[in-house]
Amino acid sequence: MKEKWAQLNAQEKQLVTIAGVLLSLILFYAMIWAPVSNTVVEKRVKLLKQRELQQWATSAIGKIRASQSQTGSGTSMQNIVNSSVRRYNIQVSRIQPKGEQLAVWVENTGFDQLMQWVAELENNRGLRVVTFDVVAEDESGMVRVRGLTLEKA
């Protein structure tokens, strides 16, 4: 190899040296720089996706906690009904779970009290009225609920 190098004139030596440097740079780029650069870009993209996922998860957790606080942090519908009727002095004659729903029957109670109670269930307790069957009693302003079906909103 030294003999071949010695036989080359100055211009050829310069050309071989430049070609060797260029080949070295190309190999460095192809074998080291490009893979490292691509890995960095892929990691940045992955990090951005992870951040988006974290933001979505944080948002979802907040929504879940908010909905649980509306329904008493996961309190059952029957417990919600039982605790709220006391506040409005409503006499429940029967409560019957129906899958994801709850059927409630109420005896002789004031119409205004009943409507305030139902409004609280819907607005503050996270329940939704599915069916509501009310019958007027003989006494003025008094009603009987023959069927009130509730479900979680």
Side-chain angles (χ1 to χ4, degrees):
M1 186 107 157
K2 287 183 182 183
E3 290 175 13
K4 289 276 187 186
W5 182 258
Q7 291 176 355
L8 297 176
N9 65 27
Q11 194 176 18
E12 290 173 335
K13 287 180 181 179
Q14 187 179 16
L15 184 61
V16 170
T17 304
I18 291 172
V21 169
L22 285 176
L23 183 60
S24 297
L25 290 174
I26 290 170
L27 287 174
F28 173 77
Y29 179 80
M31 298 182 94
I32 297 173
W33 188 264
V36 169
S37 178
N38 289 341
T39 301
V40 168
V41 169
E42 289 171 2
K43 295 295 182 186
R44 283 184 182 159
V45 169
K46 188 174 180 179
L47 178 64
L48 288 174
K49 287 181 180 180
Q50 290 293 323
R51 285 183 179 162
E52 288 175 5
L53 179 61
Q54 180 187 13
Q55 288 174 346
W56 175 84
T58 303
S59 172
I61 288 169
K63 289 177 184 176
I64 290 169
R65 286 184 179 155
S67 78
Q68 285 179 340
S69 68
Q70 287 179 348
T71 60
S73 299
T75 305
S76 73
M77 288 190 290
Q78 191 165 347
N79 289 342
I80 292 170
V81 168
N82 285 333
S83 67
S84 63
V85 292
R86 287 185 220 119
R87 192 170 314 124
Y88 291 93
N89 199 25
I90 293 176
Q91 298 297 320
V92 173
S93 61
R94 184 171 145 202
I95 295 177
Q96 180 178 349
K98 291 182 176 180
E100 296 294 317
Q101 298 179 338
L102 186 70
V104 180
W105 288 263
V106 176
E107 292 302 321
N108 200 22
T109 190
F111 179 76
D112 291 337
Q113 286 175 299
L114 178 66
M115 295 312 295
Q116 289 173 354
W117 174 61
V118 170
E120 179 184 332
L121 293 175
E122 284 199 322
N123 298 330
N124 301 330
R125 299 301 189 105
L127 298 181
R128 186 175 74 84
V129 174
V130 178
T131 61
F132 194 21
D133 185 11
V134 179
V135 177
E137 293 286 357
D138 293 336
E139 189 179 340
S140 178
M142 301 303 279
V143 294
R144 177 173 42 101
V145 177
R146 292 193 302 192
L148 168 62
T149 306
L150 302 166
E151 67 183 12
K152 288 193 177 188

